[in-house]
Amino acid sequence: MKAFLVDTGILYALFAANDRWHERARLFVNGYPGKLIVTACVIPETVNLVNKFLGQRAETVLVNAVAQVELGVEELQTRD
């Protein structure tokens, strides 16, 4: 299975409809045939930004996506 590592930028753009990368991020994520993964350190950073700029409702959607394994979460290893 294909996997693609995403970071805070693309995740935030997905939630922020007024972000200039929103549409591109949405099209990529909806069209990607594999699994999207994030590193564990991206989660709190993204949650903080989403909550601060978009509110608690958007934060809850993001946290639920992680909890329901819509995003794969990988721990960083020393070799990374």
Side-chain angles (χ1 to χ4, degrees):
M1 172 187 265
K2 295 168 75 172
F4 193 86
L5 181 67
V6 295
D7 65 3
T8 299
I10 194 168
L11 292 176
Y12 182 81
L14 283 172
F15 285 89
N18 64 342
D19 188 284
R20 66 186 178 110
W21 289 91
H22 174 75
E23 187 63 16
R24 285 176 271 197
R26 188 187 66 75
L27 288 172
F28 173 77
V29 168
N30 288 337
Y32 187 72
K35 181 132 178 104
L36 297 176
I37 57 174
V38 296
T39 58
C41 59
V42 164
I43 302 300
E45 177 184 35
T46 306
V47 167
N48 181 51
L49 286 173
V50 166
N51 181 287
K52 182 176 180 179
F53 294 108
L54 303 175
Q56 188 174 10
R57 186 174 300 169
E59 176 191 5
T60 301
V61 171
L62 173 60
V63 170
N64 285 337
V66 173
Q68 294 173 13
V69 195
E70 292 176 29
L71 291 168
V73 180
E74 295 289 327
E75 295 291 334
L76 289 175
Q77 304 297 318
T78 303
R79 69 180 185 273
D80 295 332

